[in-house]
Every structure is written in C-alpha cells, then in structure tokens.
Amino acid sequence: MWFLTLFAFVLPFQTASGNGYNFLFNSTKLPAKAVTPTLANGHLGFVVYGDSVHLNGVYNGLKGVSHRARIPNFANIQLFNCSSLLAQPKNCHYQLDMRTGKFRTTLEDPAGGYRVQHEVYPNRHFDQTIVNRVYIKRLNSKQALEIETRQLSGTKSIDLLLEPMDPLEVGSEVFILLCGKTKQVEDPKYQKEGHSVCVAYKQIPRKLTLAPDETEREFTFFTVFSRSRDEAHAELKGLKSNDHERLHRLEMDRMWQKYGIRVEGNDRLDRVIKASTFYLSSSLPSQSSFQPSSYPFYGLSPSGLGRGGKELAEYQGHSFWDTEMWMFPPILLLDPGNARKLLHYRTLVTEAAADNARSNGYKGWQYAWESAFTGREVTPDFCPQVPEYQHHITADVAYAARLYYYATGDLEWLRTDACRLAYETALFWKSRVDYNPETDTFDIGRIMGPDEDHHNVTNSVYTNVIAAHNLFFGAFVGCHCRAELPEGSDAEFAEFLRVAKSITLPYNAQYDVHPEYKEYTFGTQIKQADVVLLGYPLEFPMKESTKANNLQLYSMVTRPDGPAMTWAIHTIGHLDLNELGHAAAMFRKSYQQYLRAPFYVWSENGDGADGAGNFITGAGGFLQSLINGYAGVRLRHGQMVINNPRLPLGATRLFLPELNFAGVQFALDIGANGFRITFGSSAAESFAKLSLLVDDIERDLFEGCEYTGAKSAILLLRPEQDKAMENESSSCTLQDTVLGMRLADQDGRLFTTTHLIAVSLVVGLLGVLYSVRVALRGKRSEKKSEKEKLGKKIRKKQKSKFTK
C-alpha cells in the first residue's frame, strides 16, 4: 500500500495547490547543467546527474586556481531510458522534492506494463552518504522485467592521486574502497599536504530484475565519501544498524522548522521562497550527524557546496563577501548555530589574513577577497584589480560578527572567538586610512567598493562607513577582552574611535545625496547596489530625504543585468520609505529574471544567460527582502525590532516559523491587519533576560504565549542584562557610528606638543606649495575642461551603446 501511495504522490500535480505541492518541482526533460538542481548536506554536494562530488574544505590547485577537488561520483546511478546519455528520453518524468531533499526519476512504460522510480539524495544524518533507491512496480506485465541502469562516475579525476582499489568488508557485504589525496596544496606555507579522500561504493548491476512472481521490489545502494578508511567503515556500519531513512527525515523536519517560511495566497511566490531556503540551507551542516566531521565547516561559496570543481568556473568554491553580507543575515535569524560556524571559518584562516596585511604594508588582519582552505588570496590572476582594491571584505566579516553579537548577546563568544577578529580587523583599518590635511579628516584611497565597475577610487562611501563600523566595534570588543590581546593594545581602542569618527563621509549637500566615491560623476552607470547599502544593511543614520535621493539616483544608473541582490536591497529601501508600489516592482525583479525553470535554480545573471549556477548569493539577498523588508525584522544593539510588518503583493499571509534572539525562539505570523508572535520552548533564563513591547505597550513574556499587534514589536535585553554585558570600565560601550568629523573637533588630547609641531610643519609646507598651486590653477582648469568634454563624449557613446 505504501508503495502505491508513493507512486501516486510523485506524479505531476498540474492543478494542485497548497504548500505540499509547492515543494514539488517537475519536468519531463533534464535541463542543462547550469540549471540542474544541486543537492548537498554540509559535508558533500553534487549536481543531480553530474559526475562529480565535492567535499567541505577539500580543494586542489595552487593559489588562484585552487578549486573544490573533483571526486568521481560513483553514486551517479541513472535509469538508462531516462539518463543524461540520451538526447530525448521517452516516458520519463523528473521531480525535485524539496520537502524531503530528494530527486526522483520516474519511468512508466504502459506498453511494457511497469513503472520504475529512482530517487537519489544526500542523507542529512549520515552526511557522508549518498543514497540511491530504485523501486520497480509491475502494472500488467506477466513476464520478468529487466531495467537497465548506468553508473556514470565520469573520467578519472585530475585532482586526485589515487591508491589501488581495496576491499572494505562491512558485515557480510564487501564494498570497493578507493582512497587518495589531492595533488596540489593551495599554498605550502599554510598547507603541508593534500587532503585525504576515500570513496566506498559498489558496482551497480547493468540490469535490475523483477522476477515473474514479484509485483514490486526495492534496491538500495549506499555510496560513502569520507576522509579516511575508518570513517567510511563506521559510516557503512551505522547505515546497516540504524533506520537511516527515518533519521534523514528527522533532519529534514528540523531544517524546515527553521527555514520553512511560507506565504499564502500567492503560490508562485511561495515556491520561490521554498527554492531559496532549500538551496541555501542545503549547503549547511545538519543539526545532528552520525559521526562528527573531521573538518570544521569551511564556509559558503556563491554556488554552494555542490559546484566549483573546475578551474576558473563557478567561483571555484571560494568564499567572498557574499557569505557575510548576503547569505549570513537570513541564516543568523533562522539558524544561529550555523551562522556561528560561518564566522568560525574566518577565525581558522587568520595566519594568512595577517600575512596579507603585512605584505600590503598594513597592520592587523586583511581578509582575502577570495578565500578557500588556507585563507590566502586565491583570486584568479585575470582579476588583479579585485584583491588590490576591494578591501571592504575585511569590514564585511567584522560586520557579520557585530550582527551575531546583536542577535545572541553572547558575551563569552565576544571575549573568545570574536576578540581577535574584531580587534585585528579594526587595526587594519587604522593603518589603512590616510590623513588629509586639507579636510582634517582621514581618507581611504586606492579602493573599490561593491560597484566593481570602478576601481582605484577615493572614499568609497560604502567602504568608509563599514570601515567605521569595524573600528567602533573593534574598540568595543577589544575593551571587553583585554587579556586576550597583545600587551599595550589598550592604547589602540581610543585611536580606533578617533580614526572612525574622522573618516571622510562623501556627501553632496546641494543634491542631498551621497556620491558613490569622491571622483564619482552623477549619471555614471554602476554595476550593483553600493550607496543604497548604507540604508540597509548598514543602517547608517541619515535623513529620510537623503535615503530617498540615494535610492532614486542609483536606481536610474544601475545596470539592469546586475546581480539579483541589488533589487532586493532596493525593495527594502522602498519599504522603509513606505513606497509600496516601487517596493513590489523591485521585489518581483529580484527573483523573476534570476530563477531558472523547471527546478527554480538561482542564476547569477538576469539577462537570460546562465552565469554561475545555484547562485545562493541571490537567494540570500531575496530572503533578506522578505525577512528584513516585508516582515520588518532588524537587529540592533540590545534589541530586535519588528517594525511595520507587511505582506508582499498578492499574499494573504506571511509566516516565519522560527526567529531567534538572545536564545529565545518565536514564530512570526503576518496577516492583512496585523501580526502574531508565538514563543516556543526556550530556557527560562533566556526569557528572564528579555522584555517585550508590542505597539509600545510592555507585555509579560512567557513560553508558549501569543501576542498580537498592528504596528511594531521590540524584544529588548533588560537593563540589568545590558549592564552585565558592559565592562567595569565605562569606556566599554558600543558607540554609535558617526564619521566625517574634523580631527580638530574631537577631544583636546589630540593636540599635544608633538601634534602641534606636526601641524605647524604641515601648515608651513602648505604655504610653500600655495604659490605653486596658484600658478598651476589656470593650466588645471584648462585640462579639467578638456577632460569634462571628453567624459561627456564617452558617456554619450556608452549610453548610445547601452540603448542599442
């Protein structure tokens, strides 16, 4: 009976509705690889019907060609009649079931009188295992049935140096064990030898048989991808002695309890949400796995864990700012345990970050733009401008740590894991700024902001603001963990604050906007969201008119084929300004042109080109527009704010099953006329730390209680908790981020005798230079006029080309 029900469940539901159907994505043909779904479980990942498996943290290749090592996929079992070998398979149906994390292929041959279903999935509890199950069901045939299969593991991997095959006995079964090491280390300074890899598998019969006296039969095949013989043996032994299917379902249930955001009234949008959360969470570790990983989690790449196995393709499995600024924020609110693992990765690669700073003439830690196993710079050689100028990655990492502290209030974590990270990244920015005697502020030159179309600019407003965030946070954290820092570091805390407050803030008072950088000419086209990031996620204080002008100006000049995250940020900006029509338009734009049928795979490009497949950076940005935009959730120091939650266009309900703040979990249910917050089970001491305001009225906070409101809700750490989190010294406070102050306007300790002498020398030098500048002014004006004319011609030509 169960077998018949299963087959009924997986057939296409063309007219069905509801959340059950919305988990199912169907097709009658296999799409191109770029839009074929990726399956992963935090330890391993692969593209469905692909010949490669990738393991967390396992890379091969030197420096800029370091990429996820390709491991032959001996779990790539296919029904021959429906396989990727055929140009046009017949009688085949393909389905991705996101609820269970499985990909199913169904072959039904009415003439032959049988139905076959094949499903493949990475087990989320036995996370070193890919499971293949084949069900054969007799319909009206009377004879023996033979179903052809193929095991397509691909060619020998150029990334691995393999040992001879070895038998592996597990109980009464014998598996083939293939072990080896990656051939090339990423950098011999930080990595002494290659990664060890073992695959345990069986050769699959070319034909699976259903005897004449059988009505149905099931075949199950395990393929294990481990880092040692012992791990592989333990995994297979555990699979034999446990209900692996039940444990997998349990982990999927836990995952969807956290990531199961849904809307009602708009099935199309609900499916987009499910696809986004599924692909993002798939690359993250499970809450519980059979055996602890011998490797820590090595971060998220824009294409997830299942891609990146080719040199110079699909980001090679590297970590970028995409992790901290686009994927991390929704993970933090839904799944803080994995958010902490993402931050922990950045603490594993600090030797390379310190060397990177020193080699560039700076102090502290400078994170690589592209980071893999060792943390050294692995940006390919054909992109030299990116590592040379795009330094905001260091402050992005620190900002993620700041948000984690906001979300958890974990002072112990702040004093341990976060201590050196916050301090050393702040030290980097203190050494990175340049004093400008004309403005009496600090500039950041030779830089590139998020807009990668323009490099070697001065005072990128995004970079300057997030660098100031980093410096303020570094002073705050450093003050709390003095004992963990080098001797004499106390003196740095005040310097962090002094530098942060006097970093230049580009602002055009005439038009009430922030120029993207000092040299920016209004109307110049940009690649992606940059200045608008000041509003969210940076939440930099500014007038509402400035925020509106920034949004309007840069909306007009952003490339329409830029990455999806741009429009997600514009959505949030319009919602903050209560411009609901514009928000709805940007919201649709943030996903409609980036999702690829039939399995709703995110693509990097919005112009129809494939770009990098499984682009979970886009999924992360989209989820922020939903959680931080429509649901109105924001993290701030000592509080979580839910302000003016609203419904996306066409939806009648928006439900977030779990949000986390300071150790307390709650569900947020948003309707047309208000919202409901329902608190789940949490430790009593966690509730004791918090107070709750709903529509500005304080409410008693208890486990299991529901609270309704119309406008806002605020969870606050109680005053005694705030006090407990402050150091005995009153200087250990997290100050608001303000910048653009002249040094002369800061406190008087700056002007010691030494400083006054230095200022006098600068003034004298300026006097000497003044006459030279006057003499050159006429010539500069002539050159500037010629340059402006040339710039107009170039922009006119580019605009004409763009219009075409």
Side-chain angles (χ1 to χ4, degrees):
M1 184 68 180
W2 173 83
F3 192 81
L4 295 172
T5 303
L6 175 66
F7 271 113
F9 176 72
V10 300
L11 293 177
F13 291 90
Q14 300 300 333
T15 60
S17 62
N19 286 325
Y21 165 73
N22 289 345
F23 282 104
L24 304 176
F25 296 78
N26 301 288
S27 178
T28 57
K29 62 180 182 179
L30 283 173
K33 181 189 174 184
V35 294
T36 300
T38 300
L39 299 180
N41 61 11
H43 171 76
L44 60 82
F46 60 98
V47 177
V48 171
Y49 278 26
D51 64 5
S52 304
V53 169
H54 304 120
L55 298 185
N56 162 53
V58 177
Y59 294 84
N60 185 64
L62 184 68
K63 301 178 182 178
V65 295
S66 172
H67 58 278
R68 293 200 192 277
R70 177 189 170 265
I71 303 166
N73 186 5
F74 292 96
N76 185 24
I77 300 168
Q78 302 180 19
L79 303 178
F80 177 71
N81 284 6
C82 301
S83 73
S84 57
L85 298 172
L86 302 179
Q88 294 181 324
K90 295 181 180 179
N91 303 319
C92 298
H93 172 252
Y94 307 92
Q95 182 184 79
L96 175 61
D97 181 351
M98 294 184 180
R99 181 65 184 81
T100 62
K102 299 177 178 180
F103 189 86
R104 300 188 181 103
T105 302
T106 302
L107 168 64
E108 183 164 359
D109 188 344
Y114 65 88
R115 180 188 296 141
V116 183
Q117 183 197 85
H118 166 230
E119 65 180 23
V120 60
Y121 64 96
N123 194 292
R124 285 202 67 91
H125 181 71
F126 291 91
D127 60 6
Q128 298 181 13
T129 303
I130 298 176
V131 180
N132 278 274
R133 303 172 81 175
V134 180
Y135 306 87
I136 306 176
K137 172 68 177 179
R138 185 185 303 281
L139 298 179
N140 52 28
S141 172
K142 303 298 183 182
Q143 59 191 16
L145 298 173
E146 292 185 334
I147 307 301
E148 287 195 69
T149 65
R150 293 292 185 272
Q151 189 172 19
L152 305 174
S153 58
T155 58
K156 183 178 178 180
S157 174
I158 62 173
D159 294 327
L160 301 176
L161 184 63
L162 296 173
E163 301 168 2
M165 292 181 180
D166 195 24
L168 180 65
E169 294 185 14
V170 182
S172 60
E173 289 191 84
V174 179
F175 290 79
I176 299 170
L177 185 69
L178 190 62
C179 292
K181 281 191 174 183
T182 53
K183 291 181 178 179
Q184 196 170 32
V185 298
E186 192 170 278
D187 188 323
K189 181 175 182 180
Y190 311 109
Q191 183 183 0
K192 302 307 179 187
E193 60 181 4
H195 304 273
S196 295
V197 173
C198 288
V199 185
Y201 66 99
K202 282 189 172 183
Q203 292 287 359
I204 306 304
R206 298 279 284 192
K207 293 182 179 180
L208 302 179
T209 303
L210 184 67
D213 59 343
E214 294 178 306
T215 58
E216 60 186 48
R217 189 174 180 187
E218 173 187 322
F219 302 84
T220 301
F221 306 103
F222 301 126
T223 310
V224 173
F225 298 82
S226 299
R227 295 195 176 91
S228 70
R229 181 189 183 96
D230 290 344
E231 280 190 8
H233 186 272
E235 186 87 354
L236 287 166
K237 189 176 180 180
L239 286 161
K240 294 293 183 181
S241 58
N242 290 277
D243 186 349
H244 60 88
E245 173 67 17
R246 180 186 64 82
L247 293 170
H248 170 75
R249 288 198 305 268
L250 178 60
E251 286 304 317
M252 290 301 299
D253 289 344
R254 287 172 172 168
M255 187 273 282
W256 284 114
Q257 174 55 38
K258 294 179 179 296
Y259 289 89
I261 303 169
R262 66 178 185 268
V263 296
E264 294 178 5
N266 187 337
D267 277 356
R268 160 73 171 170
L269 176 58
D270 191 54
R271 289 165 70 77
V272 174
I273 295 169
K274 285 173 168 51
S276 301
T277 53
F278 175 75
Y279 290 124
L280 180 62
S281 62
S282 291
S283 286
L284 294 167
S286 297
Q287 185 170 323
S288 171
S289 58
F290 173 69
Q291 51 183 326
S293 175
S294 54
Y295 271 30
F297 189 60
Y298 271 85
L300 287 175
S301 178
S303 288
L305 181 53
R307 295 175 184 258
K310 291 184 179 180
E311 291 183 8
L312 310 180
E314 294 183 318
Y315 295 108
Q316 303 185 121
H318 298 168
S319 292
F320 298 71
W321 78 310
D322 302 49
T323 302
E324 281 76 22
M325 299 308 292
W326 299 112
M327 297 181 252
F328 180 85
I331 293 169
L332 174 61
L333 292 169
L334 306 176
D335 188 6
N338 275 323
R340 181 165 180 165
K341 290 178 181 178
L342 289 173
L343 285 173
H344 182 63
Y345 162 66
R346 296 296 189 178
T347 68
L348 300 174
V349 296
T350 56
E351 182 183 359
D355 288 346
N356 192 27
R358 279 194 296 270
S359 66
N360 291 323
Y362 307 122
K363 296 181 180 179
W365 295 347
Q366 181 185 357
Y367 282 102
W369 177 249
E370 296 190 32
S371 178
F373 180 69
T374 66
R376 67 105 58 224
E377 184 62 72
V378 287
T379 300
D381 291 341
F382 63 77
C383 299
Q385 299 92 348
V386 178
E388 184 176 358
Y389 297 111
Q390 203 159 7
H391 297 171
H392 63 81
I393 177 67
T394 297
D396 299 330
V397 172
Y399 193 68
R402 181 183 180 124
L403 289 178
Y404 183 83
Y405 176 66
Y406 284 179
T408 63
D410 189 341
L411 193 58
E412 182 60 28
W413 171 84
L414 195 77
R415 288 171 173 158
T416 53
D417 278 21
C419 178
R420 290 294 297 275
L421 188 154
Y423 174 79
E424 298 287 353
T425 53
L427 197 60
F428 165 75
W429 288 109
K430 175 177 171 289
S431 69
R432 181 65 178 80
V433 299
D434 299 309
Y435 177 66
N436 184 338
E438 293 185 2
T439 60
D440 194 27
T441 59
F442 292 106
D443 291 340
I444 301 179
R446 310 171 306 284
I447 205 74
M448 177 196 289
D451 171 19
E452 293 174 326
D453 284 354
H454 302 94
H455 65 274
N456 195 15
V457 302
T458 305
N459 291 331
S460 152
V461 68
Y462 171 87
T463 303
N464 285 19
V465 168
I466 201 165
H469 273 322
N470 195 164
L471 286 157
F472 280 110
F473 188 60
F476 169 69
V477 177
C479 196
H480 278 285
C481 62
R482 288 183 174 92
E484 305 296 322
L485 298 175
E487 186 176 349
S489 58
D490 278 20
E492 297 287 0
F493 307 151
E495 290 299 300
F496 290 167
L497 298 177
R498 182 177 73 92
V499 170
K501 291 175 183 177
S502 289
I503 291 178
T504 301
L505 179 65
Y507 175 70
N508 185 308
Q510 180 180 358
Y511 297 105
D512 189 21
V513 296
H514 291 290
E516 186 178 278
Y517 47 88
K518 178 182 177 182
E519 304 89 348
Y520 182 75
T521 301
F522 291 115
T524 302
Q525 190 179 71
I526 66 172
K527 177 183 177 181
Q528 63 187 64
D530 190 307
V531 177
V532 295
L533 295 168
L534 269 58
Y536 174 88
L538 300 192
E539 298 213 298
F540 180 67
M542 68 182 83
K543 295 182 295 183
E544 189 167 289
S545 61
T546 310
K547 185 183 293 186
N549 290 337
N550 285 343
L551 195 60
Q552 182 178 10
L553 170 67
Y554 293 104
S555 293
M556 295 165 55
V557 297
T558 304
R559 279 200 277 163
D561 62 343
M565 308 87 69
T566 288
W567 316 120
I569 294 300
H570 284 224
T571 300
I572 298 172
H574 286 299
L575 287 170
D576 284 351
L577 296 168
N578 206 34
E579 298 172 347
L580 303 187
H582 290 307
M586 290 295 102
F587 185 60
R588 287 191 297 270
K589 190 173 182 179
S590 74
Y591 65 84
Q592 284 184 347
Q593 61 179 331
Y594 299 94
L595 287 176
R596 299 291 182 262
F599 300 112
Y600 280 41
V601 174
W602 277 87
S603 178
E604 180 181 19
N605 294 337
D607 56 1
D610 289 334
N614 194 47
F615 191 59
I616 55 176
T617 301
F622 166 77
L623 290 173
Q624 288 187 62
S625 69
L626 200 69
I627 300 169
N628 307 105
Y630 281 101
V633 179
R634 302 292 172 88
L635 288 169
R636 289 164 191 154
H637 190 206
Q639 58 183 269
M640 174 187 278
V641 177
I642 302 169
N643 186 48
N644 198 14
R646 286 165 285 204
L647 293 171
L649 190 65
T652 57
R653 182 191 185 198
L654 170 58
F655 180 67
L656 286 72
E658 183 177 311
L659 290 170
N660 293 267
F661 179 68
V664 170
Q665 296 84 40
F666 63 93
L668 176 60
D669 200 346
I670 302 168
N673 300 311
F675 63 89
R676 176 185 291 109
I677 297 176
T678 305
F679 286 89
S681 59
S682 301
E685 56 267 26
S686 296
F687 282 107
K689 294 188 299 185
L690 299 175
S691 58
L692 173 67
L693 296 175
V694 178
D695 291 343
D696 299 324
I697 299 173
E698 186 167 2
R699 308 291 296 273
D700 293 328
L701 183 59
F702 299 104
E703 178 182 330
C705 284
E706 294 184 351
Y707 307 86
T708 59
K711 296 179 181 178
S712 67
I714 306 176
L715 275 167
L716 298 128
L717 287 165
R718 293 185 182 278
E720 57 268 27
Q721 180 66 17
D722 280 337
K723 187 175 180 180
M725 291 200 301
E726 299 298 345
N727 193 276
E728 293 178 2
S729 169
S730 61
S731 63
C732 287
T733 57
L734 182 55
Q735 297 189 21
D736 292 337
T737 298
V738 264
L739 58 156
M741 297 174 60
R742 294 168 60 245
L743 285 169
D745 294 332
Q746 292 200 44
D747 85 40
R749 73 170 185 80
L750 174 66
F751 293 98
T752 60
T753 303
T754 302
H755 287 111
L756 287 172
I757 293 171
V759 171
S760 298
L761 290 172
V762 169
V763 171
L765 179 61
L766 290 175
V768 172
L769 294 175
Y770 179 76
S771 58
V772 177
R773 293 181 62 188
V774 169
L776 293 175
R777 187 173 298 164
K779 292 184 178 180
R780 284 183 179 176
S781 297
E782 292 176 4
K783 289 183 178 180
K784 184 177 180 181
S785 177
E786 291 174 1
K787 185 176 179 181
E788 287 176 348
K789 289 179 181 178
L790 179 60
K792 288 179 180 179
K793 289 181 180 179
I794 292 172
R795 288 194 296 275
K796 186 176 180 181
K797 185 176 181 181
Q798 289 176 336
K799 184 177 180 181
S800 175
K801 182 179 179 182
F802 174 73
T803 304
K804 292 178 182 177

